[in-house]
């Protein structure tokens, strides 16, 4: 009897703990939902801090300017990679002009960090190779080892199918970890972080939690540091099989990310997958769409690649649910129609009953209002379908025009290559090497001409599809900044960049590849375009809406 009471007591305690844990998780999810709906408020705070820094006036060629740029960069590095790169490159140029070697090394190290964040691992290794380890100031050694370790670890993670190469890069990262633990003080967060991961890899989870507790002491809820520490804690608890506790800290991490307006984040994406697994599709869809939006805004190709599968999976499931709901709505409409018919019959019967004439009229009025609402809804649905069909037709026409022009252009280049090959073969048969050398010597001029011709084809095709594009762009610019094209000039470089943005090429790297410029040059063009715009913040969005 006592044993039964003991078992029941334990069972009741466990159930109570589970109920309270679920309540905490539900409460935190509501907080997160509220913060996501008010994300613009946190983002505006972030922007205001940045604007306040930008408004500070210092000497343009001084260490004060360097320190101010570094402060602005630190605000941008988890918010906008393009802007962060801009201020890094400014500081690199400034450090070189001031001949300040420690500042130059610091800037290069931050460039390695930022390139790693956006998934440009080869570029990050190139920058790292420029740094001479023996000449690094002691104050920057810890950062050098931390960023090197992060670079090689993430390089290994990005190659999951190539286990040998992945392990190779991981071992390099472990070497840098040893250096971090030797050079950093035990109170430094990076030191505590490495000790935590080291314990976790050894499956000493109690020790890993101890190191995480030490990190928590210096982390404040709602900050970027707290978001990172809570995310790591959730990972440890997940490995220990404590799913509810892990979810609790993962939500805290996501809330801190949102409140810090951090766009280089992982918590919300992982949380979306967990919500999907738990069957909370609405939340999963909200979280994955938010995560995708901030990822696009931050412009990191590695997280874009990781988002594709969960984003597609959750979106497909959400659309499936919407489709089923639409089917139910259609069934309800049919049922309403049937009921309406039956009510009509009833109204005819009621009409014959003089004593119930007043009641019948009231029902008829109510029925008319319901039918009117249904008709309005159906009309809106039909209008939406018509607009969608028109957009699809327009899209197909655009594809047909582009395919035709692309095929014609490719055919032209194939013919030219064939003719060039025939000329070369004739020269070789005649052993006319001098003429052959002349032909190849002017190849660069030919390439330049071909490039200009390619631009001309593009300009002509684009303006054929969007004949009022130049006028529309000028309307978005200040009057004194509007473009005046030269005679026979269809588009200039800045308008061509706008044209590619209109076609959906929003990343500077993509545009640079298509126009044969460097990403930095394209970024500078885009910055100047926004500065010329009437509304800088929404200039590119309005360009994408030009018809």
């Amino acid at each position: 009897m006592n044993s039964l009471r003991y078992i029941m007591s334990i069972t009741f305690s466990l159930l109570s703990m589970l109920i309270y844990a679920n309540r905490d998780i539900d409460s935190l999810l509501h907080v997160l939902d509220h913060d996501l709906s008010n994300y613009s408020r946190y983002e505006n705070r972030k922007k205001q801090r940045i604007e306040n820094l930008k408004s500070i006036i210092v000497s343009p060629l001084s260490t004060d300017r360097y320190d101010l740029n570094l402060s602005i960069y630190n605000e941008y590095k988890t918010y906008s990679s393009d802007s962060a790169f801009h201020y890094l490159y400014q500081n690199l140029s400034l450090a070189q002009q001031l001949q300040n070697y420690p500042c130059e090394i610091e800037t290069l190290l931050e460039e390695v960090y930022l390139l790693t964040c956006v998934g440009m691992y080869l570029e990050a290794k190139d920058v790292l190779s420029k740094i001479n380890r023996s000449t690094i100031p002691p104050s920057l050694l810890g950062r050098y080892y931390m960023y090197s370790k992060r670079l090689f670890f993430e390089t290994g993670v990005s190659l999951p199918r190539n286990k040998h190469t992945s392990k190779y890069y991981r071992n390099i990262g472990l070497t840098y970890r040893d250096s971090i633990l030797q050079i950093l003080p035990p109170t430094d967060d990076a030191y505590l972080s490495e000790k935590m991961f080291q314990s976790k890899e050894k499956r000493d989870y109690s020790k890993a939690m101890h190191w995480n507790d030490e990190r928590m002491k210096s982390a404040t809820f709602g900050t970027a540091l707290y978001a990172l520490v809570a995310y790591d804690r959730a990972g440890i608890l997940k490995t220990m099989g404590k799913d509810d506790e892990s979810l609790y800290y993962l939500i805290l991490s996501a809330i801190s990310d949102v409140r810090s307006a951090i766009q280089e984040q992982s918590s919300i994406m992982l949380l979306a997958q967990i919500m999907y697994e738990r069957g909370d599709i609405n939340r999963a869809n909200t979280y994955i769409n938010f995560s995708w939006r901030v990822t696009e805004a931050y412009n990191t190709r590695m997280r874009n690649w990781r988002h594709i599968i969960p984003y597609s999976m959750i979106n497909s499931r959400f659309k499936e649910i919407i489709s089923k709901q639409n089917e139910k709505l259609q069934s309800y409409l049919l049922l309403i129609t049937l009921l309406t018919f039956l009510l009509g019959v009833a109204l005819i019967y009621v009409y014959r009953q003089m004593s119930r004439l007043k009641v019948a009229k009231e029902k008829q009025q109510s029925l008319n209002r319901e039918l009117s609402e249904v008709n309005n809804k159906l009309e809106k649905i039909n209008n939406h379908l018509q607009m969608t069909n028109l957009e699809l037709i327009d899209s197909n026409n655009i594809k047909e025009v582009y395919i035709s022009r692309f095929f014609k252009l490719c055919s032209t280049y194939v013919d030219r290559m064939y003719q060039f090959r025939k000329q070369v073969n004739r020269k070789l048969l005649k052993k006319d090497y001098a003429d052959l050398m002349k032909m190849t010597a002017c190849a660069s001029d030919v390439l330049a001409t071909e490039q200009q011709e390619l631009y001309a084809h593009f300009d002509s095709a684009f303006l054929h599809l969007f004949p009022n594009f130049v006028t529309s762009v000028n309307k978005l610019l200040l009057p004194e900044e509007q473009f005046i094209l030269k005679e026979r000039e269809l588009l200039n470089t800045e308008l061509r960049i706008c044209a590619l943005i209109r076609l959906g090429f929003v990343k500077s790297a993509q545009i640079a590849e298509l126009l044969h410029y460097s990403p930095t040059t394209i970024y500078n063009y885009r910055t100047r375009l926004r500065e010329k715009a009437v509304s800088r913040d929404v200039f590119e969005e309005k360009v994408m809406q030009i018809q």
Side-chain angles (χ1 to χ4, degrees):
M1 187 69 176
N2 290 333
S3 298
L4 180 60
R5 287 179 179 176
Y6 179 70
I7 292 171
M8 291 179 66
S9 175
I10 292 177
T11 303
F12 179 76
S13 299
L14 291 173
L15 286 172
S16 299
M17 290 174 63
L18 182 61
I19 291 170
Y20 283 117
N22 286 334
R23 285 179 180 174
D24 288 340
I25 289 173
D26 288 340
S27 299
L28 283 177
L29 285 172
H30 285 302
V31 172
L32 177 58
D33 294 342
H34 177 268
D35 284 353
L36 286 177
S37 64
N38 291 278
Y39 178 70
S40 58
R41 182 178 65 181
Y42 302 114
E43 191 174 27
N44 288 336
R45 289 179 186 173
K46 179 85 169 179
K47 291 178 179 178
Q48 187 59 52
R49 287 199 303 273
I50 294 172
E51 289 303 318
N52 290 340
L53 287 172
K54 289 180 179 180
S55 65
I56 297 174
I57 300 174
V58 294
S59 177
L61 191 61
S62 65
T63 54
D64 289 338
R65 178 75 255 179
Y66 176 88
D67 292 337
L68 181 59
N69 283 349
L70 187 61
S71 298
I72 298 173
Y73 157 76
N74 284 328
E75 290 288 345
Y76 271 129
K77 72 179 180 180
T78 56
Y79 181 68
S80 172
S81 61
D82 286 343
S83 299
F85 275 121
H86 172 72
Y87 283 95
L88 267 186
Y89 294 142
Q90 278 194 4
N91 262 5
L92 183 60
S93 175
L94 184 59
Q96 291 170 348
Q97 292 179 60
L98 294 172
Q99 296 183 350
N100 190 325
Y101 185 71
C103 288
E104 184 177 349
I105 292 298
E106 181 180 33
T107 306
L108 290 173
L109 287 173
E110 290 301 326
E111 187 178 2
V112 171
Y113 169 85
L114 198 56
L115 287 168
T116 303
C117 285
V118 300
M120 300 174 69
Y121 303 126
L122 292 177
E123 293 84 348
K125 290 173 192 172
D126 289 340
V127 176
L128 190 64
S129 66
K130 297 176 183 178
I131 302 173
N132 188 341
R133 159 66 185 82
S134 61
T135 61
I136 298 176
S139 61
L140 296 175
L141 269 177
R143 205 182 308 184
Y144 170 79
Y145 290 131
M146 284 189 294
Y147 292 173
S148 300
K149 179 254 179 182
R150 178 184 174 126
L151 168 61
F152 287 104
F153 257 83
E154 292 206 11
T155 303
V157 170
S158 69
L159 302 168
R161 295 183 179 178
N162 193 332
K163 294 183 179 180
H164 176 74
T165 306
S166 178
K167 184 177 180 181
Y168 167 75
Y169 283 117
R170 174 182 167 78
N171 289 336
I172 295 176
L174 290 174
T175 303
Y176 284 108
R177 172 185 285 172
D178 295 337
S179 300
I180 293 172
L181 295 177
Q182 289 176 10
I183 197 169
L184 290 180
T187 56
D188 192 282
D189 182 71
Y191 177 91
L192 297 173
S193 175
E194 295 305 325
K195 294 293 287 185
M196 179 192 70
F197 283 115
Q198 193 177 58
S199 301
K200 182 182 177 183
E201 290 163 4
K202 293 178 181 179
R203 298 185 179 180
D204 188 352
Y205 301 124
S206 61
K207 196 67 177 176
M209 289 295 291
H210 163 75
W211 293 116
N212 188 268
D213 288 337
E214 292 298 314
R215 296 179 70 194
M216 276 288 186
K217 291 178 181 178
S218 59
T220 303
F221 176 69
T223 63
L225 178 60
Y226 186 92
L228 179 60
V229 177
Y231 181 81
D232 293 339
R233 190 179 190 89
I236 298 170
L237 291 167
K238 182 71 174 178
T239 310
M240 296 170 67
K242 299 181 179 181
D243 292 345
D244 287 338
E245 290 184 57
S246 172
L247 179 58
Y248 178 83
Y249 281 100
L250 185 63
I251 300 170
L252 289 177
S253 174
I255 293 172
S256 296
D257 275 335
V258 172
R259 293 187 178 183
S260 304
I262 293 175
Q263 301 199 133
E264 202 283 310
Q265 54 176 265
S266 299
S267 303
I268 197 78
M269 183 186 72
L270 182 56
L271 190 58
Q273 296 178 59
I274 293 174
M275 291 297 104
Y276 175 78
E277 292 168 0
R278 289 188 167 211
D280 193 344
I281 305 300
N282 287 330
R283 274 201 174 104
N285 186 65
T286 300
Y287 296 166
I288 199 67
N289 277 291
F290 174 81
S291 181
W292 183 266
R293 182 167 66 84
V294 296
T295 297
E296 284 288 296
Y298 186 71
N299 193 18
T300 165
R301 65 190 185 192
M302 177 51 64
R303 282 199 293 124
N304 282 346
W305 173 75
R306 293 176 182 172
H307 271 59
I308 290 173
I309 295 176
Y311 181 81
S312 175
M313 180 175 59
I314 293 172
N315 246 3
S316 297
R317 178 58 178 157
F318 186 74
K319 289 178 180 177
E320 182 182 339
I321 291 174
I322 294 298
S323 177
K324 289 182 178 178
Q325 290 177 346
N326 287 336
E327 290 176 1
K328 288 182 179 179
L329 286 174
Q330 290 177 356
S331 299
Y332 292 152
L333 285 174
L334 290 174
L335 182 60
I336 289 172
T337 303
L338 179 60
L339 289 173
T340 301
F341 174 76
L342 294 175
L343 283 173
V345 174
L347 285 172
I348 294 173
Y349 175 77
V350 171
Y351 177 76
R352 295 175 180 177
Q353 308 299 320
M354 297 300 296
S355 60
R356 299 179 182 178
L357 181 60
K358 185 177 180 179
V359 176
K361 287 182 179 179
E362 292 176 354
K363 287 185 177 180
Q364 188 175 9
Q365 291 174 356
S366 175
L367 179 62
N368 289 335
R369 284 195 297 271
E370 290 178 6
L371 287 172
S372 178
E373 290 177 2
V374 172
N375 287 332
N376 288 335
K377 290 180 181 178
L378 289 173
E379 185 177 356
K380 289 179 180 178
I381 293 172
N382 287 331
N383 290 337
H384 179 70
L385 288 173
Q386 288 176 0
M387 290 178 64
T388 303
N389 288 332
L390 289 174
E391 289 175 0
L392 288 172
I393 292 170
D394 186 45
S395 175
N396 288 332
N397 290 335
I398 290 173
K399 289 178 181 178
E400 290 174 3
V401 171
Y402 268 106
I403 289 171
S404 174
R405 285 184 173 268
F406 175 75
F407 185 79
K408 182 178 179 181
L409 187 59
C410 288
S411 176
T412 301
Y413 285 133
V414 168
D415 289 340
R416 289 180 183 176
M417 290 298 295
Y418 178 72
Q419 294 298 327
F420 185 77
R421 177 176 169 275
K422 286 174 65 177
Q423 291 178 17
V424 171
N425 285 338
R426 284 198 297 268
K427 298 294 183 184
L428 288 173
L429 289 173
K430 294 178 180 179
K431 297 184 179 181
D432 195 351
Y433 301 122
D435 285 350
L436 191 59
M437 286 297 292
K438 290 179 181 179
M439 289 174 62
T440 56
C442 63
S444 60
D445 295 334
V446 173
L447 287 174
T449 302
E450 295 291 348
Q451 185 175 353
Q452 291 302 318
E453 186 176 341
L454 178 62
Y455 287 162
H457 277 291
F458 171 79
D459 295 348
S460 175
F462 183 82
L463 292 176
H464 178 72
L465 297 173
F466 302 96
N468 299 319
F469 184 76
V470 176
T471 304
S472 299
V473 171
N474 277 334
K475 288 180 180 178
L476 301 177
L477 302 177
L478 296 169
E480 66 273 14
E481 299 292 349
Q482 293 182 359
F483 295 109
I484 300 175
L485 296 173
K486 299 176 183 178
E487 186 178 358
R488 296 184 180 179
E489 184 181 33
L490 298 178
L491 295 176
N492 58 24
T493 302
E494 290 174 305
L495 285 170
R496 207 167 285 125
I497 291 171
C498 290
L500 288 172
I501 292 172
R502 173 59 185 86
L503 293 175
F505 297 95
V506 296
K507 295 182 180 178
S508 295
Q510 291 178 319
I511 298 173
E513 184 178 354
L514 291 170
L515 296 182
H516 302 285
Y517 288 107
S518 69
T520 303
T521 302
I522 296 301
Y523 173 81
N524 290 334
Y525 270 119
R526 293 176 76 172
T527 301
R528 287 198 295 269
L529 278 168
R530 285 193 292 270
E531 290 173 353
K532 295 177 181 180
V534 176
S535 302
R536 299 181 182 180
D537 296 338
V538 296
F539 172 71
E540 292 190 358
E541 287 81 352
K542 289 188 176 181
V543 169
M544 295 181 72
Q545 295 170 6
I546 292 175
Q547 297 297 326

